[in-house]
Amino acid sequence: ADFTDNLNLFPTPPPVVEVPSRQYSVTVHFSRRTNVFGYLEEAKNKACKIHKRLPGGGILVFLTGRREIDWMCKTLREELGKKKGGKKRKGRDGPLGGKVKAAPVER
C-alpha cells in the first residue's frame, strides 16, 4: 500500500503528482576511516581523486554548513583548475569541468 493511503498520516488522501523521469546509475565512494578533524580535506581529496580517475559525471559531497560548502567549492575550483606543473587545465566534460558550484539549499 502507498503511504498516502495511511489514514493516521492523512485523514483525507493527498493528491499525488507523477513526474516521468529516468534513473541514472549511482556509485557510492567513501573512506572506511575518516579523521574527525580533517574530514573536509579528506572529502576534497576523495572528490579530486574521483574526478581525475573516473569518467565524467556528477559528484555529490555532503557537508554540514555554508562555510564548509563555500570552502569546498573554492578549493575544488583551485585544485581542479590546475594541471601538474601549475599550468591551467582545460575543463573536461562533466559537472566539475571548471564549474564547481554549490547547489541551492531549501530551508
Side-chain angles (χ1 to χ4, degrees):
D2 194 51
F3 82 98
T4 59
D5 296 331
N6 186 334
L7 296 177
N8 291 327
L9 292 175
F10 307 105
T12 308
V16 176
V17 177
E18 277 193 48
V19 178
S21 63
R22 53 186 174 178
Q23 293 183 340
Y24 296 93
S25 61
V26 174
T27 305
V28 178
H29 297 269
F30 63 94
S31 297
R32 295 199 184 275
R33 293 189 183 98
T34 303
N35 180 349
V36 176
F37 299 107
Y39 69 95
L40 279 176
E41 191 68 28
E42 288 189 31
K44 180 203 64 137
N45 292 340
K46 180 66 86 172
C48 288
K49 184 185 286 187
I50 290 168
H51 177 71
K52 291 172 183 173
R53 292 186 180 178
L54 297 178
I59 300 172
L60 178 61
V61 179
F62 290 96
L63 301 171
T64 59
R66 185 71 202 186
R67 197 178 307 178
E68 291 180 352
I69 294 167
D70 290 341
W71 178 88
M72 184 67 71
C73 290
K74 177 181 177 260
T75 307
L76 287 174
R77 274 189 211 104
E78 291 169 358
E79 181 84 19
L80 298 175
K82 292 184 181 174
K83 186 176 159 180
K84 286 181 183 172
K87 294 182 181 175
K88 279 285 187 182
R89 174 177 160 166
K90 288 193 176 193
R92 71 174 211 198
D93 293 333
L96 287 180
K99 295 182 176 88
V100 178
K101 59 185 173 182
V105 178
E106 289 187 26
R107 296 183 192 256

